[in-house]
Amino acid sequence: MLLEIKDIVVSYDGAEAVKGVTINVEEGSITTFIGANGAGKSSILRSVSGLKKISKGEIWFQGKRIDGMKAHQIVKLGIGHVPEGRRVFGLMTVMHNLKVGAYLQKDKTKVAANLKKVFHHFPRLEERRNQLGKTLSGGEQQMVAMGRALMGSPKVLLLDEPSLGLAPLMVNEIGKIIAEIRNEGLSVVLVEQNASMALKLADTACVLETGSLVMEGDAKELAATDYIRKAYLGG
Protein backbone atom coordinates (compact mmCIF):
# COMPACT_ATOMS: atom_id res chain seq x y z
CA MET A 1 0.00 0.00 0.00
CA LEU A 2 1.35 3.41 -0.97
CA LEU A 3 -0.26 5.55 1.75
CA GLU A 4 -1.89 4.29 4.93
CA ILE A 5 -3.85 6.57 7.23
CA LYS A 6 -4.59 4.60 10.39
CA ASP A 7 -7.24 5.68 12.89
CA ILE A 8 -6.08 9.29 12.97
CA VAL A 9 -7.54 12.01 15.18
CA VAL A 10 -6.92 15.68 14.38
CA SER A 11 -7.90 18.32 16.91
CA TYR A 12 -8.10 22.11 16.95
CA ASP A 13 -8.33 23.76 20.38
CA GLY A 14 -9.56 20.54 21.92
CA ALA A 15 -12.28 19.92 19.32
CA GLU A 16 -11.85 16.87 17.10
CA ALA A 17 -11.98 17.76 13.39
CA VAL A 18 -11.06 14.21 12.33
CA LYS A 19 -12.34 11.34 14.46
CA GLY A 20 -10.49 8.07 14.05
CA VAL A 21 -10.34 7.91 10.25
CA THR A 22 -8.64 5.03 8.44
CA ILE A 23 -8.01 5.28 4.68
CA ASN A 24 -5.66 3.40 2.34
CA VAL A 25 -4.42 4.84 -0.96
CA GLU A 26 -3.22 2.40 -3.61
CA GLU A 27 -0.37 3.14 -5.99
CA GLY A 28 -1.45 4.56 -9.34
CA SER A 29 -4.95 5.42 -8.18
CA ILE A 30 -7.12 8.48 -7.64
CA THR A 31 -8.77 8.54 -4.23
CA THR A 32 -11.26 11.30 -3.56
CA PHE A 33 -12.58 12.71 -0.29
CA ILE A 34 -16.01 14.27 -0.59
CA GLY A 35 -18.11 15.95 2.06
CA ALA A 36 -19.39 19.30 3.27
CA ASN A 37 -17.25 22.11 4.64
CA GLY A 38 -15.93 21.13 8.07
CA ALA A 39 -16.03 17.40 7.31
CA GLY A 40 -12.29 17.04 7.97
CA LYS A 41 -11.09 16.56 4.40
CA SER A 42 -8.44 19.29 4.33
CA SER A 43 -7.31 18.41 7.85
CA ILE A 44 -6.44 14.90 6.68
CA LEU A 45 -4.35 16.25 3.80
CA ARG A 46 -2.58 18.70 6.11
CA SER A 47 -1.79 15.83 8.48
CA VAL A 48 -0.35 13.68 5.71
CA SER A 49 1.93 16.50 4.50
CA GLY A 50 3.13 17.39 8.00
CA LEU A 51 1.37 20.76 8.27
CA LYS A 52 -0.86 19.58 11.13
CA LYS A 53 0.08 17.15 13.90
CA ILE A 54 -2.26 14.29 14.62
CA SER A 55 -3.24 13.65 18.23
CA LYS A 56 -3.82 9.93 17.70
CA GLY A 57 -3.17 7.27 15.08
CA GLU A 58 -0.46 6.67 12.50
CA ILE A 59 0.36 7.69 8.92
CA TRP A 60 2.58 5.46 6.78
CA PHE A 61 4.03 6.12 3.33
CA GLN A 62 5.71 3.33 1.36
CA GLY A 63 6.20 1.35 4.57
CA LYS A 64 7.69 4.26 6.51
CA ARG A 65 5.88 5.98 9.36
CA ILE A 66 5.74 9.72 8.63
CA ASP A 67 3.49 11.29 11.26
CA GLY A 68 5.75 13.44 13.39
CA MET A 69 8.14 14.16 10.53
CA LYS A 70 8.67 17.74 9.36
CA ALA A 71 6.92 18.96 6.21
CA HIS A 72 10.08 19.32 4.11
CA GLN A 73 11.12 15.77 5.01
CA ILE A 74 7.74 14.48 3.84
CA VAL A 75 8.04 16.39 0.56
CA LYS A 76 11.46 14.83 0.03
CA LEU A 77 9.96 11.35 0.47
CA GLY A 78 7.60 12.01 -2.43
CA ILE A 79 4.40 13.65 -1.17
CA GLY A 80 3.36 16.82 -2.97
CA HIS A 81 0.58 19.04 -1.58
CA VAL A 82 -1.42 21.58 -3.58
CA PRO A 83 -3.24 23.59 -0.88
CA GLU A 84 -6.70 25.09 -1.08
CA GLY A 85 -6.50 28.67 -2.33
CA ARG A 86 -3.47 27.93 -4.52
CA ARG A 87 -0.99 30.03 -2.46
CA VAL A 88 0.93 31.31 -5.48
CA PHE A 89 3.72 33.82 -4.78
CA GLY A 90 2.21 36.91 -6.41
CA LEU A 91 5.41 38.95 -6.76
CA MET A 92 7.35 36.07 -8.32
CA THR A 93 7.18 35.00 -11.95
CA VAL A 94 5.64 31.74 -13.08
CA MET A 95 9.13 30.29 -13.57
CA HIS A 96 10.25 31.29 -10.08
CA ASN A 97 7.08 29.83 -8.56
CA LEU A 98 7.76 26.54 -10.35
CA LYS A 99 11.41 26.48 -9.31
CA VAL A 100 10.38 26.81 -5.65
CA GLY A 101 8.79 23.38 -6.03
CA ALA A 102 12.14 21.92 -7.11
CA TYR A 103 14.04 23.36 -4.14
CA LEU A 104 14.87 19.92 -2.69
CA GLN A 105 15.81 18.43 -6.07
CA LYS A 106 19.59 18.31 -6.60
CA ASP A 107 19.61 16.59 -9.99
CA LYS A 108 19.47 19.40 -12.59
CA THR A 109 18.65 16.96 -15.38
CA LYS A 110 15.63 15.72 -13.45
CA VAL A 111 14.53 19.29 -12.70
CA ALA A 112 14.71 20.12 -16.41
CA ALA A 113 12.71 16.98 -17.25
CA ASN A 114 10.08 17.88 -14.64
CA LEU A 115 9.79 21.40 -16.04
CA LYS A 116 9.29 19.98 -19.53
CA LYS A 117 6.56 17.71 -18.17
CA VAL A 118 4.85 20.61 -16.38
CA PHE A 119 4.83 22.65 -19.60
CA HIS A 120 3.43 19.62 -21.45
CA HIS A 121 0.50 19.47 -19.03
CA PHE A 122 0.14 23.25 -18.76
CA PRO A 123 1.29 24.86 -22.04
CA ARG A 124 -0.27 28.13 -20.90
CA LEU A 125 2.36 28.37 -18.17
CA GLU A 126 5.15 28.21 -20.72
CA GLU A 127 3.53 31.12 -22.54
CA ARG A 128 3.37 33.07 -19.25
CA ARG A 129 6.67 31.92 -17.77
CA ASN A 130 7.88 35.52 -17.15
CA GLN A 131 4.53 36.82 -15.89
CA LEU A 132 4.02 37.64 -12.20
CA GLY A 133 1.84 35.27 -10.24
CA LYS A 134 -0.55 37.99 -9.09
CA THR A 135 -1.42 38.89 -12.70
CA LEU A 136 -2.65 35.39 -13.58
CA SER A 137 -6.27 34.28 -13.67
CA GLY A 138 -7.56 31.92 -10.99
CA GLY A 139 -7.28 28.96 -13.32
CA GLU A 140 -3.74 29.85 -14.30
CA GLN A 141 -2.78 30.21 -10.65
CA GLN A 142 -4.20 26.73 -10.03
CA MET A 143 -2.00 25.44 -12.83
CA VAL A 144 1.03 27.09 -11.22
CA ALA A 145 0.20 25.50 -7.85
CA MET A 146 -0.13 22.06 -9.42
CA GLY A 147 2.99 22.52 -11.54
CA ARG A 148 4.97 23.67 -8.51
CA ALA A 149 4.08 20.45 -6.67
CA LEU A 150 4.95 18.33 -9.71
CA MET A 151 8.42 19.92 -9.84
CA GLY A 152 9.24 18.07 -6.62
CA SER A 153 8.92 14.62 -8.31
CA PRO A 154 6.09 13.41 -6.04
CA LYS A 155 4.86 9.83 -5.91
CA VAL A 156 1.50 10.98 -4.60
CA LEU A 157 -0.14 14.37 -5.17
CA LEU A 158 -2.53 15.79 -2.58
CA LEU A 159 -4.98 18.17 -4.29
CA ASP A 160 -7.17 20.36 -2.07
CA GLU A 161 -10.18 21.86 -3.89
CA PRO A 162 -8.49 22.38 -7.28
CA SER A 163 -11.74 23.48 -8.95
CA LEU A 164 -12.76 26.00 -6.28
CA GLY A 165 -13.79 29.33 -7.80
CA LEU A 166 -13.01 28.33 -11.38
CA ALA A 167 -15.18 28.73 -14.46
CA PRO A 168 -16.77 25.49 -15.81
CA LEU A 169 -14.43 25.30 -18.81
CA MET A 170 -11.39 25.59 -16.54
CA VAL A 171 -12.85 22.98 -14.16
CA ASN A 172 -13.06 20.56 -17.09
CA GLU A 173 -9.48 21.36 -18.10
CA ILE A 174 -8.16 20.76 -14.59
CA GLY A 175 -10.09 17.48 -14.47
CA LYS A 176 -8.48 16.30 -17.71
CA ILE A 177 -5.01 17.15 -16.40
CA ILE A 178 -5.64 15.21 -13.17
CA ALA A 179 -6.59 12.17 -15.28
CA GLU A 180 -3.45 12.59 -17.40
CA ILE A 181 -1.26 12.74 -14.30
CA ARG A 182 -2.75 9.52 -12.96
CA ASN A 183 -2.34 7.82 -16.33
CA GLU A 184 1.39 8.58 -16.09
CA GLY A 185 1.50 6.53 -12.87
CA LEU A 186 1.22 9.27 -10.24
CA SER A 187 -1.20 8.61 -7.40
CA VAL A 188 -3.64 11.39 -6.51
CA VAL A 189 -5.62 12.16 -3.37
CA LEU A 190 -8.34 14.61 -4.36
CA VAL A 191 -10.37 16.74 -1.96
CA GLU A 192 -13.18 18.25 -3.98
CA GLN A 193 -16.58 19.83 -3.32
CA ASN A 194 -17.47 19.28 -6.98
CA ALA A 195 -18.57 15.74 -6.19
CA SER A 196 -19.68 15.00 -9.74
CA MET A 197 -16.22 15.68 -11.16
CA ALA A 198 -14.46 13.94 -8.30
CA LEU A 199 -16.49 10.74 -8.58
CA LYS A 200 -16.00 10.59 -12.35
CA LEU A 201 -12.22 10.91 -11.96
CA ALA A 202 -11.65 8.71 -8.92
CA ASP A 203 -11.16 5.00 -8.48
CA THR A 204 -12.03 5.10 -4.78
CA ALA A 205 -14.27 7.54 -2.92
CA CYS A 206 -14.30 8.31 0.79
CA VAL A 207 -17.31 10.20 2.17
CA LEU A 208 -16.61 12.26 5.28
CA GLU A 209 -19.18 13.83 7.56
CA THR A 210 -18.34 15.88 10.68
CA GLY A 211 -14.90 14.30 10.94
CA SER A 212 -15.93 10.67 10.44
CA LEU A 213 -15.63 8.33 7.48
CA VAL A 214 -19.21 7.24 6.73
CA MET A 215 -18.82 5.55 3.33
CA GLU A 216 -15.93 4.18 1.29
CA GLY A 217 -15.73 2.17 -1.90
CA ASP A 218 -15.57 2.15 -5.68
CA ALA A 219 -16.26 5.72 -6.81
CA LYS A 220 -18.57 4.75 -9.69
CA GLU A 221 -20.60 2.39 -7.48
CA LEU A 222 -20.99 5.00 -4.75
CA ALA A 223 -22.04 7.62 -7.32
CA ALA A 224 -24.94 5.34 -8.29
CA THR A 225 -26.33 5.03 -4.75
CA ASP A 226 -29.44 6.97 -3.74
CA TYR A 227 -27.66 8.53 -0.76
CA ILE A 228 -24.79 10.00 -2.79
CA ARG A 229 -27.09 11.15 -5.60
CA LYS A 230 -29.38 12.97 -3.18
CA ALA A 231 -26.71 14.33 -0.80
CA TYR A 232 -23.95 15.31 -3.23
CA LEU A 233 -25.14 15.11 -6.85
CA GLY A 234 -28.31 17.15 -6.73
CA GLY A 235 -30.93 14.43 -6.77
Side-chain angles (χ1 to χ4, degrees):
M1 193 63 61
L2 181 69
L3 177 64
E4 300 170 90
I5 300 166
K6 300 182 179 180
D7 196 30
I8 68 166
V9 173
V10 181
S11 300
Y12 295 88
D13 298 323
E16 291 185 352
V18 179
K19 306 169 183 177
V21 167
T22 295
I23 294 171
N24 294 322
V25 175
E26 295 184 5
E27 190 168 355
S29 70
I30 297 178
T31 300
T32 188
F33 301 168
I34 61 173
N37 283 334
K41 309 182 301 295
S42 294
S43 293
I44 295 173
L45 294 196
R46 288 173 58 82
S47 298
V48 171
S49 62
L51 297 176
K52 176 65 181 176
K53 290 184 178 181
I54 59 176
S55 50
K56 181 186 174 185
E58 299 176 357
I59 302 174
W60 292 73
F61 179 64
Q62 292 190 314
K64 181 181 181 69
R65 187 170 176 179
I66 62 172
D67 56 279
M69 293 178 65
K70 294 181 178 179
H72 71 274
Q73 295 172 319
I74 293 173
V75 170
K76 195 169 185 178
L77 287 177
I79 296 179
H81 188 175
V82 181
E84 181 181 350
R86 301 180 274 273
R87 312 287 178 90
V88 168
F89 297 105
L91 295 178
M92 293 169 59
T93 65
V94 167
M95 275 297 294
H96 286 141
N97 269 278
L98 294 176
K99 286 181 178 179
V100 167
Y103 179 74
L104 295 174
Q105 299 294 316
K106 304 303 180 186
D107 185 339
K108 292 183 179 180
T109 301
K110 192 170 188 179
V111 171
N114 286 347
L115 183 61
K116 184 177 180 180
K117 189 179 296 185
V118 167
F119 286 154
H120 168 73
H121 288 302
F122 308 106
R124 202 172 310 181
L125 297 187
E126 187 169 19
E127 296 170 6
R128 289 158 172 72
R129 59 193 298 157
N130 296 317
Q131 196 167 323
L132 294 181
K134 68 178 183 179
T135 67
L136 302 173
S137 69
E140 290 164 350
Q141 288 187 7
Q142 185 62 54
M143 293 177 181
V144 171
M146 291 174 67
R148 182 175 58 196
L150 292 172
M151 289 295 292
S153 300
K155 299 179 179 73
V156 60
L157 189 64
L158 313 179
L159 289 172
D160 198 349
E161 302 287 6
S163 76
L164 188 65
L166 302 184
L169 284 176
M170 184 58 70
V171 171
N172 290 336
E173 189 171 346
I174 293 295
K176 289 177 183 177
I177 293 166
I178 293 170
E180 287 175 6
I181 289 169
R182 191 280 296 275
N183 290 338
E184 291 177 354
L186 180 61
S187 303
V188 176
V189 180
L190 174 64
V191 164
E192 184 55 70
Q193 285 195 345
N194 185 334
S196 178
M197 181 185 83
L199 291 168
K200 287 176 183 176
L201 287 172
D203 303 291
T204 302
C206 303
V207 183
L208 292 147
E209 294 181 358
T210 59
S212 299
L213 180 65
V214 296
M215 296 180 76
E216 181 181 15
D218 180 272
K220 309 304 181 288
E221 292 178 2
L222 286 184
T225 64
D226 288 340
Y227 177 77
I228 296 298
R229 287 205 309 269
K230 290 176 181 177
Y232 297 103
L233 301 178

